[in-house]
Structures are given as structure tokens and as C-alpha cells.
Amino acid sequence: MKDLSPASFGMVMATGIVSLAAHLLAMPVIADILFRLNIITYGVLWLLTVARLVGYPRYFFTDLSDHSSGPGFFTMVAGSGILGSQFVVLSGNISMGLAMWFVTIGLWLGTTYTIFTAFTIKREKPLLSRGLNGGWLLAVVAAESIAVLSALLANHASQSYELELNFLAFLMWLWGGMLYIWIISLIFYRYTFFLFSPKDFSPSYWINMGAMAISTLGGSLLVSNAANAPFLHSLLPFIKGFTLFYWATSTWWIPILLILSVWRYACMRLSLNYDPLHWGVVFPLGMYAASSHEMATVMALEFLSFLPPLFLYAALLVWVVVFVSWILTLLRRIGICCF
């Protein structure tokens, strides 16, 4: 409990988006099983997080202000937003979706301004090569998760709140895109102008792609909502253009991330032992499947229809591998498993 990773809610993010992608691609049984599992996981992780905060506050706040681990807290925000989206899409439970919307916004406000303020006023700061990693882009995913959930809720809101929800979704979609540009510029600089060892390429760098994939999903939902929101309709060419821009960027990242993964694990033979950051590989794969499906649907790009099933199967496979690895790790810790 003392060593609970701030990025533990990455499991909720990964499980939630694979569930949603399975629903979109007509796999209702898988979608429902993962939805139920995600509710349990979310509750257990919150119990453990609160217990850590109460029992080990020094460790909790040290992580919160640490450049390497602090961004992991944004998984709480994104996980809450994605679970809220599951309630809306999979069960039609708008009340729970709205409750999770409030939770997500509250967490986003708290984490965003606490973490970035702490990073700014710290007296001792790490070098860029040590303090920056792909996990920083979880801040983008957190913002975009609010955009996605707001856009979904707008379809079920009364007319008096539909405009406000769509406007908030649009603002968070724009803000997430701007934040991505800031952070990815530093990450790309770190890639190309600093020594980059296999150990430096953590699974969190897959968020390079995942952050753009969820931005694509948010844009696709805004395009879909434009029919009932005049201000969105007037901005439709802009929204469509940037949605395609985000999708193209996420697609560009996939080959280089695969190449670097082969370099890390196959060429340099680094261990594949369980790490909570491994959920950061599942999430982008599932999000790419869901976002590609939505974008192809709303923009009538039928020739892209082969991509969502391909990436959903990949996400399911990696999810199973990471989940089994997590179970075996738990069993080893309590002395049941000897593997």
C-alpha cells in the first residue's frame, strides 16, 4: 500500500476503453464483463489510494510533487472520465455518468493546478532527460476524457444544458490539443538530443499515441453532436480538420513505438515483469480502435473500417497478458505462486 503507484488507475483507463471499443465493434459480452470488472477495480483502487493517503501521507505527497511520478495521478482523472463514459454508453445510466462527470472535473482541477504548481515552485528540479517521460501526456488524456464524457452527456441532456456541455467538451478538446503540442515538443527534443537508453523507453511513452487517439475520439463526437449544436456546426470544417490531424499524428506514432519496443525487449532483452505502466500500452491500442471506428463512421471513411477490429484484437491480447502478469505478481507477493 505504501508503494502503490500513482499510475495504478491506468488499469481502469485500459479496461474501460477496451470495453467501450468492444461495444462499438459488436462484442457485447466482452464489453459487459470488462465494464463490471472496471467498477470493482475503480472502487478497490480508491480504497487503497485513500488508505495510502491516510497511512503514508509523506509518500503520497512526495509522489505528487515528483516530476517522474506526479503525472501518474492524472490516471485518476482519465480513469474516472472513461468509467463515466462506460455508464453512459454501456448501461444508459445517465445519473451515474453525470456523477462521474462531477468527480472527473473535480479531480482534474485538483491534480492539474496542484501538480503543475508544485513543479513550478520546486527549488530543486531534475534535468529534462530525467524528469520528463511519456507519462506527462496523461495530463492531455485527462483533459480529453472530460471532453469525451461531456460530449456523450450532451446527447442526453435537456436543451437548456446541451449547449453548455457541448461548449465545455469543445473547450477541453482544444485545451488538450494545445497541451499536447507543448509537452510532445519537449518529449521529441528529449528523444533526439539526449542519450536514450532502453530503460528510458518506459511503456508510458505509448501515451504519445494514446493522447492523440482520445483527441480523435473527442473530435469525432463533436462532429456527431454538431447537428444539434449550431455553434459546433459553424466550426465543423475546423473540427473535422483537427480531428484528422490528431488521427494522423496518432497513426504516425505506431510504427516508431513498435520499433522501440522491439529494441527494448527483443534486442536489449529487458525484463517484461509486471509494471503498472504496462496498462499504458493497452490504453492507446484500445483508444485507437475506438477513435478510428468513430471517426470513420462520422466522416464516412469506410475504407478505414479494417483498422478498428485489428487494434481491438491487439488491445485485448495485450490486456490479457498484462492482467495475467498482474495476477501472478500479486500471488508471488503473498507467497502462493512460485513461478
Side-chain angles (χ1 to χ4, degrees):
M1 189 182 302
K2 179 181 70 175
D3 299 321
L4 181 70
S5 170
S8 294
F9 280 82
M11 183 178 181
V12 177
M13 293 169 55
T15 304
I17 193 55
V18 173
S19 172
L20 287 167
H23 171 79
L24 291 173
L25 295 172
M27 298 181 184
V29 175
I30 293 175
D32 186 61
I33 291 173
L34 293 179
F35 177 36
R36 295 174 186 273
L37 175 63
N38 219 26
I39 295 172
I40 297 170
T41 302
Y42 185 78
V44 170
L45 283 174
W46 265 116
L47 288 175
L48 293 175
T49 299
V50 172
R52 185 182 188 231
L53 175 60
V54 173
Y56 305 95
R58 183 166 65 88
Y59 289 91
F60 183 91
F61 289 107
T62 296
D63 280 341
L64 192 66
S65 61
D66 183 81
H67 278 67
S68 296
S69 61
F73 284 97
F74 284 111
T75 60
M76 294 180 181
V77 185
S80 300
I82 290 170
L83 182 59
S85 297
Q86 284 182 279
F87 276 112
V88 174
V89 174
L90 299 180
S91 68
N93 193 332
I94 309 305
S95 297
M96 278 302 300
L98 186 59
M100 295 303 299
W101 180 78
F102 281 111
V103 170
T104 304
I105 290 178
L107 289 172
W108 179 78
L109 289 170
T111 53
T112 297
Y113 294 105
T114 298
I115 291 172
F116 286 119
T117 300
F119 290 174
T120 301
I121 65 176
K122 282 179 68 173
R123 290 191 174 185
E124 296 183 7
K125 302 182 183 183
L127 296 173
L128 182 68
S129 58
R130 293 185 176 273
L132 183 70
N133 57 62
W136 277 59
L137 289 169
L138 288 167
V140 176
V141 177
E144 297 292 355
S145 70
I146 296 177
V148 169
L149 181 53
S150 298
L152 290 172
L153 286 170
N155 288 324
H156 301 277
S158 61
Q159 192 171 1
S160 57
Y161 293 105
E162 183 180 8
L163 177 63
E164 288 86 346
L165 284 168
N166 275 315
F167 186 67
L168 176 63
F170 183 61
L171 290 183
M172 296 305 293
W173 181 69
L174 291 176
W175 160 239
M178 187 68 250
L179 185 59
Y180 183 86
I181 292 171
W182 291 347
I183 295 175
I184 203 63
S185 300
L186 295 173
I187 288 176
F188 205 79
Y189 176 62
R190 191 256 182 276
Y191 265 16
T192 50
F193 288 96
F194 290 85
L195 179 65
F196 198 73
S197 70
K199 289 184 179 180
D200 292 327
F201 182 66
S202 65
S204 65
Y205 277 106
W206 276 85
I207 304 297
N208 294 3
M209 183 269 276
M212 284 287 88
I214 192 173
S215 300
T216 302
L217 179 60
S220 299
L221 292 173
L222 289 171
V223 171
S224 179
N225 287 3
N228 298 317
F231 87 94
L232 286 180
H233 185 75
S234 65
L235 293 166
L236 208 49
F238 170 82
I239 298 172
K240 285 185 175 182
F242 261 81
T243 299
L244 282 167
F245 167 70
Y246 291 152
W247 182 82
T249 304
S250 65
T251 303
W252 182 88
W253 273 112
I254 296 170
I256 195 169
L257 291 170
L258 288 172
I259 291 167
L260 290 174
S261 296
V262 171
W263 170 63
R264 172 184 167 96
Y265 296 112
C267 299
M268 298 302 177
R269 302 184 183 280
L270 263 67
S271 171
L272 273 168
N273 291 336
Y274 174 76
D275 186 319
L277 295 178
H278 285 145
W279 294 109
V281 179
V282 182
F283 171 78
L285 293 172
M287 184 56 74
Y288 189 83
S291 62
S292 296
H293 177 273
E294 283 297 300
M295 187 190 72
T297 300
V298 299
M299 297 191 189
L301 302 173
E302 291 84 1
F303 59 90
L304 294 176
S305 60
F306 73 97
L307 283 173
L310 179 65
F311 277 86
L312 175 57
Y313 293 138
L316 283 169
L317 175 61
V318 179
W319 186 92
V320 170
V321 170
V322 176
F323 185 78
V324 171
S325 176
W326 172 64
I327 293 294
L328 292 176
T329 300
L330 288 179
L331 294 177
R332 278 196 296 268
R333 286 182 179 177
I334 60 178
I336 294 177
C337 180
C338 60
F339 294 102

